[in-house]
Amino acid sequence: IMRRWLALLAFVPLTVGTAMVNASASAPVAVPGFGCTEASSTAPILCTGHIPSFDGVPLDADLTLPPGHIKARPLVVMLHGYGNSKTEWESPTIASATPDKNGYNSASFASRGYAVLTYTARGFHGSCGQGPLTPGAAAACARGWTHLADRRFEVRDTEFLAGLLADDGVAN
């Protein structure tokens, strides 16, 4: 009889542990600072938000993740060209009518298991430029002008956003 109890006691923690893992895998889609949606269980997770950078300037950012539960993944950051915005490399599908984006876009990299960050550089469009801003962002945007090719800002913004995603367990 003692062996049966020992076998049962060894089995119970495995069952409880499995139930806990499955419960966390079906947790709602959430990334701090972003609002996320998933059109279907096979569609990429699309997240968007205005994320304060290292100096408080709100950056208009999107995050595209593979379908399923959120976990740490390799991160690809796709930066736009001068005068464009975060949407330059975004696509709802892997295929694109634009040759330079066909198979080389946010959906394509997410389908391969990457977390994909696209954001609008400070001073352009929704990142303190001439686009829609988050209500109450005027004070934060007082320092949000364009710093073209300035490592103190452009590179630091990217590093800061990537670091936030790593801290939140989205990127590794």
Side-chain angles (χ1 to χ4, degrees):
I1 293 181
M2 183 61 106
R3 287 185 184 165
R4 288 184 187 171
W5 278 107
L6 289 175
L8 180 61
L9 289 175
F11 178 74
V12 169
L14 291 175
T15 306
V16 171
T18 303
M20 288 169 51
V21 169
N22 289 339
S24 66
S26 61
V29 176
V31 177
F34 288 91
C36 299
T37 59
E38 187 174 18
S40 73
S41 61
T42 58
I45 299 168
L46 305 174
C47 306
T48 189
H50 282 85
I51 312 300
S53 191
F54 67 92
D55 60 353
V57 172
L59 300 176
D60 186 14
D62 286 348
L63 182 64
T64 306
L65 300 167
H69 67 282
I70 295 174
K71 63 181 183 179
R73 299 176 178 279
L75 178 66
V76 173
V77 181
M78 302 183 87
L79 303 172
H80 63 81
Y82 186 80
N84 287 333
S85 72
K86 65 182 182 179
T87 61
E88 183 173 3
W89 296 109
E90 292 180 352
S91 176
T93 60
I94 295 170
S96 174
T98 308
D100 64 337
K101 294 177 180 74
N102 189 25
Y104 190 85
N105 55 52
S106 58
S108 175
F109 284 105
S111 74
R112 294 182 235 163
Y114 292 94
V116 183
L117 173 66
T118 55
Y119 75 93
T120 301
R122 61 176 60 219
F124 292 98
H125 304 283
S127 294
C128 298
Q130 296 179 347
L133 299 175
T134 312
C141 286
R143 300 177 310 279
W145 62 87
T146 302
H147 297 272
L148 188 61
D150 188 333
R151 289 182 299 206
R152 295 172 299 168
F153 294 92
E154 289 190 353
V155 172
R156 195 168 174 194
D157 284 338
T158 303
E159 290 173 335
F160 187 81
L161 292 173
L164 289 176
L165 294 174
D167 290 346
D168 291 336
V170 177
N172 56 16

